[in-house]
Amino acid sequence: KSIRQILLIDNDFNLLDVFFKDELSVNKNVHVFIMAGGKGKRLMPLTKEIPKPMLPVKGTPILERVLKDISYYGLTNFTLSLNYKNDVISNYFKDGKQFGFNIDYIVEENFTGTINSLKLLNIKNCENIVLQNGDLLTDLNYNEFVNFHIDNCAFATMVIVEKSIKIPYGVIQYNNEHLNSITEKPYYNYKISAGIYCFNQEVIKIIKKYDFMDVNELFMFLIEKKYKTLCFMHTGKWVDIGSFAEYESVK
């Protein structure tokens, strides 16, 4: 009905509360797939003994924070895709019950691309899949994100964030060899993938046709084949812990 809020009133029509659609739990018919199999080469030697998703942030493994942040929004069914030192992760989380959610595992023996392990997911009665990298810390509202995907009948939705880089030179504008302006050390804003996605479960049938596939390759295929592919802008906190500087910023 496109109703965005519901009022709670008593018998005398006094307003008691307001419930907004984006704050309610998302459709529970959603499974969460976490990619946590990378070697974390850029964080060596920290990742020599433990996989990157298990590096501590304020005493808690990154991956535990990720799972708890997502489960806050009612999404509690997880599959973790593992490879490098997979036993460290599975021995820590086990079936997830002690954390308040359900976990099963897929272990890739060989690296077959950043998304190819998704084809090994075996789930029933699931319409959509949230897929996320296991080394991201964010305050994304997963209710808003998944509802956006479902409400717009998207096949695939990518969370995007804006980044900024400083150009260390004077940037010129010119036309027909005539200098128009000089901007000293400007900032350039650009949009990037946040490493968080929502897919219709039919995506698994597409991936099964390939022996190797990265996320970007999948999205380019979907665009080429005219699947409805959307972007969801996130303007809040987002940290991809892929370098020492990023890890130090949250540690």
Side-chain angles (χ1 to χ4, degrees):
K1 302 292 186 181
S2 297
I3 297 171
R4 308 303 299 182
Q5 60 276 323
I6 297 175
L7 306 182
L8 177 65
I9 59 176
D10 63 17
N11 292 333
D12 296 322
F13 297 97
N14 296 308
L15 179 64
L16 302 179
D17 207 341
V18 181
F19 297 94
F20 296 92
K21 179 180 179 182
D22 290 339
E23 295 175 354
L24 300 176
S25 294
V26 298
N27 187 327
K28 296 302 190 299
N29 196 12
V30 175
H31 196 84
V32 182
F33 191 84
I34 304 293
M35 298 180 290
K39 293 184 178 180
K41 292 181 179 180
R42 289 182 294 167
L43 285 170
M44 285 288 186
L46 298 180
T47 52
K48 183 177 180 179
E49 300 299 330
I50 62 173
K52 181 171 64 170
M54 297 302 289
L55 291 176
V57 172
K58 296 179 174 58
T60 302
I62 296 168
L63 185 55
E64 182 178 343
R65 289 180 174 272
V66 170
L67 299 181
K68 287 181 176 178
D69 286 345
I70 298 173
S71 65
Y72 173 81
Y73 292 96
L75 298 171
T76 57
N77 295 316
F78 297 94
T79 294
L80 307 186
S81 177
L82 310 179
N83 181 287
Y84 179 67
K85 296 189 178 296
N86 59 82
D87 58 323
V88 175
I89 296 177
S90 59
N91 288 339
Y92 182 87
F93 290 103
K94 299 182 172 60
D95 62 3
K97 292 294 192 300
Q98 70 271 33
F99 298 96
F101 32 76
N102 305 305
I103 298 178
D104 58 23
Y105 302 91
I106 288 174
V107 178
E108 265 196 303
E109 296 183 2
N110 301 302
F111 288 102
T112 58
T114 55
I115 200 173
N116 201 256
S117 64
L118 183 59
K119 69 183 179 184
L120 302 175
L121 182 63
N122 183 20
I123 52 175
K124 297 179 180 179
N125 302 319
C126 173
E127 295 178 359
N128 294 284
I129 302 165
V130 169
L131 186 144
Q132 176 171 326
N133 296 337
D135 55 359
L136 300 176
L137 294 179
T138 178
D139 59 1
L140 174 70
N141 185 319
Y142 288 85
N143 285 342
E144 292 182 359
F145 169 48
V146 175
N147 285 335
F148 173 86
H149 172 83
I150 294 173
D151 290 348
N152 287 282
C153 300
F155 187 87
T157 303
M158 172 190 292
V159 177
I160 61 174
V161 295
E162 184 172 84
K163 302 293 285 185
S164 180
I165 186 171
K166 186 176 183 179
I167 307 299
Y169 308 103
V171 176
I172 66 169
Q173 297 290 335
Y174 75 101
N175 185 30
N176 294 329
E177 299 181 349
H178 291 274
L179 181 64
N180 294 331
S181 67
I182 303 176
T183 304
E184 188 64 26
K185 298 181 176 62
Y187 282 90
Y188 172 64
N189 296 321
Y190 55 97
K191 310 294 191 302
I192 66 169
S193 167
I196 307 171
Y197 318 91
C198 193
F199 296 103
N200 183 291
Q201 57 87 19
E202 291 292 316
V203 75
I204 295 175
K205 294 181 180 179
I206 296 174
I207 298 174
K208 282 185 175 181
K209 298 177 182 178
Y210 297 87
D211 295 327
F212 186 99
M213 178 171 277
D214 284 330
V215 172
N216 290 345
E217 291 176 318
L218 172 61
F219 271 93
M220 293 307 297
F221 172 87
L222 297 178
I223 293 169
E224 179 184 349
K225 298 301 182 181
K226 308 299 182 183
Y227 286 89
K228 190 171 185 179
T229 308
L230 302 180
C231 293
F232 180 86
M233 173 62 73
H234 175 57
T235 58
K237 182 184 78 172
W238 179 84
V239 182
D240 176 9
I241 303 175
S243 69
F244 281 102
E246 289 157 340
Y247 182 48
E248 289 296 326
S249 72
V250 297
K251 191 175 69 169

